[in-house]
Structures are given as C-alpha cells and as structure tokens.
C-alpha cells in the first residue's frame, strides 16, 4: 500500500494537496515517508478497532500522524450522563487524543482553515457515522434500538449526539482541528446554526464532508 500511495503522489501537481486517512499500522512509522512528502497536508489515523487507550498508545509511536478517531473518540459517552459527566468524558477524550497526535466561507476563513489543518497541533474528530454504523454508535452511546423507530428517528438521535458533543465547552478548536461530518449533518443545525457554520464560527473547528459515494451508478456489481 505504501509503495502505491507514494507512486500516486508522484503524479500530482505541486499545487495539489492531499490528506491520507489510514488505519494505524502494525509497524510503527510505516507511513512516515507520506508525512514528509510536499503534496501531503496530513496523515490521519483511524483507531483500527482499538479502544481509546490502546489506539492512542499506538498512535504516539507514529511520528507525524494525527488521530481521526470515531468510536475511540466517543468512547465512554452516554445519553444518561449528566452535563458534568459528559463534559468530563469529552475533556478526557480530547486531551488523550490531542496528546497522542504528534504534530508537536470567505477567502480569509478558507485560508485560516487551511493553515489550521496544515500547521496546528490537534486531531480530527470523526463524527461521520452513516446508516450502517449508526445503530452500533447509538448503542455504544446508550441509546437502544427500541428508543427510535425507523431510519429518520435514528438519524435524529445520532444528530442529537453530535450536537451535544459539538456544543460542549470542552469540544473546541484549540485541541480539535476539524470534524468529519455525514452528508445529512450539513442539512441540520447545531444551536440554531447550520452545522458546518457553527463548528467553524463558534468553535474554530474545521468542518469536513465525508464523500464516499461513486460518481456513477453501480453496474455489473
């Protein structure tokens, strides 16, 4: 995989910039050559199914990689928690993932976002659970399938979780570089503002849209 990625990087123009999102490698610093490439903006790591403590331990062994954790980030959050308990859990998650991450609208905002992602210490929160992963994410959050009826209510529940995370005082741009969002999240609001606008203007967290749909209709499997 590394050889293929490096080969593809060599086909890019000098002005092209990419972010790699890769599973934590079993060999420490396997992706170090990607980090130093001039076309690479960031190399971010999925938690790879590990719990937060183990994922952060492995991430800290990979110089230049930063976290983009989903389940490992929301680990320990529960719908039944008080606001104080919820805040403490987010604070602990942000600090642990921040410590493990190694990078010791208008044109101005766009430049600020680009500079933040390229240069600031921190991590990217993966809040992009889609249809297939949402029931499990909700169950881990303490919301059983019996508490919602159908897909529409399911997505409402997961947006309530995302909104609670994003609006929490401990979730802010000094530690969290950005948040990857599911497509439907862009059509919803957080604290009365469009989700992406809220993240940047109120939290200084760069919003990312997950794009995982093909450009053409599926044919022949």
């Amino acid at each position: 995989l590394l050889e293929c990625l490096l080969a593809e990087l060599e086909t890019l123009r000098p002005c092209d910039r990419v972010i790699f999102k890769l599973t934590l490698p079993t060999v420490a610093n396997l992706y170090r050559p990607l980090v130093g490439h001039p076309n690479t903006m960031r190399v971010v790591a999925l938690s790879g199914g590990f719990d937060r403590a183990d994922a952060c331990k492995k991430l800290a062994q990979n110089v230049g990689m930063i976290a983009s954790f989903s389940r490992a980030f929301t680990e320990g959050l529960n719908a039944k928690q008080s606001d104080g308990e919820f805040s403490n859990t987010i604070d602990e998650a942000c600090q642990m993932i921040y410590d493990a991450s190694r990078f010791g609208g208008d044109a101005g905002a766009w430049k600020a976002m680009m500079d933040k992602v390229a240069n600031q210490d921190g991590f990217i929160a993966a809040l992009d659970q889609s249809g297939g992963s949402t029931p499990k994410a909700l169950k881990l959050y303490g919301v059983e399938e019996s508490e919602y009826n159908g897909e529409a209510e399911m997505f409402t529940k997961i947006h309530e979780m995302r909104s609670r995370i994003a609006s929490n005082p401990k979730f802010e741009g000094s530690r969290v570089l950005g948040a990857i969002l599911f497509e439907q999240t862009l059509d919803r609001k957080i604290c009365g503002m469009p989700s992406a606008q809220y993240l940047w203007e109120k939290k200084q967290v760069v919003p990312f849209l997950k794009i995982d749909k093909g450009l053409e209709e599926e044919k022949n499997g």
Side-chain angles (χ1 to χ4, degrees):
L1 175 61
L2 177 60
E3 291 179 359
C4 291
L5 294 176
L6 287 170
E8 289 298 317
L9 277 174
E10 295 306 316
T11 68
L12 300 180
R13 301 169 300 173
C15 61
D16 293 330
R17 305 294 297 279
V18 296
I19 297 176
F20 290 101
K21 185 169 182 177
L22 302 163
T23 300
L24 282 166
T26 55
V27 178
N29 291 315
L30 175 66
Y31 298 123
R32 185 72 182 274
L34 298 176
V35 175
H37 196 281
N39 292 100
T40 301
M41 181 179 290
R42 288 285 197 177
V43 180
V44 304
L46 292 84
S47 58
F50 296 106
D51 62 25
R52 186 189 301 143
D54 286 341
C56 285
K57 182 178 179 180
K58 290 181 179 296
L59 176 62
Q61 298 170 358
N62 289 273
V63 176
M65 292 188 81
I66 65 171
S68 180
F69 295 167
S70 177
R71 183 173 60 183
F73 171 60
T74 59
E75 177 184 312
L77 297 176
N78 191 287
K80 309 304 188 295
Q81 288 173 320
S82 67
D83 287 343
E85 292 169 334
F86 195 84
S87 293
N88 289 337
T89 304
I90 287 185
D91 186 34
E92 179 182 348
C94 287
Q95 192 62 52
M96 183 180 293
I97 299 172
Y98 174 83
D99 289 341
S101 296
R102 298 301 298 257
F103 266 97
D106 55 43
W110 173 254
K111 184 178 185 301
M113 290 183 197
M114 294 288 286
D115 289 344
K116 182 182 183 77
V117 173
N119 300 307
Q120 182 183 308
D121 289 347
F123 68 96
I124 295 173
L127 302 177
D128 57 345
Q129 299 87 353
S130 54
S133 59
T134 296
K136 187 174 182 179
L138 284 173
K139 186 174 181 64
L140 290 170
Y141 180 54
V143 177
E144 301 294 334
E145 291 189 25
S146 59
E147 297 182 57
Y148 54 86
N149 182 25
E151 188 173 85
E153 289 186 17
M154 177 185 73
F155 283 126
T156 295
K157 289 290 186 184
I158 199 69
H159 185 69
E160 289 173 359
M161 184 188 85
R162 294 187 186 113
S163 296
R164 192 179 184 191
I165 292 170
S167 61
N168 189 276
K170 301 298 184 181
F171 185 87
E172 41 76 36
S174 69
R175 297 183 295 190
V176 185
L177 292 178
I180 303 174
L181 305 177
F182 177 52
E183 183 177 2
Q184 287 194 20
T185 308
L186 297 181
D187 299 325
R188 296 176 183 260
K189 294 183 177 182
I190 300 174
C191 297
M193 295 177 64
S195 297
Q197 181 182 355
Y198 177 86
L199 285 168
W200 179 246
E201 293 185 3
K202 298 298 183 182
K203 295 303 187 86
Q204 290 294 287
V205 172
V206 179
F208 294 89
L209 172 62
K210 179 178 75 171
I211 301 174
D212 56 1
K213 295 180 179 179
L215 297 180
E216 297 183 3
E217 293 294 328
E218 183 176 334
K219 296 179 181 179
N220 301 321

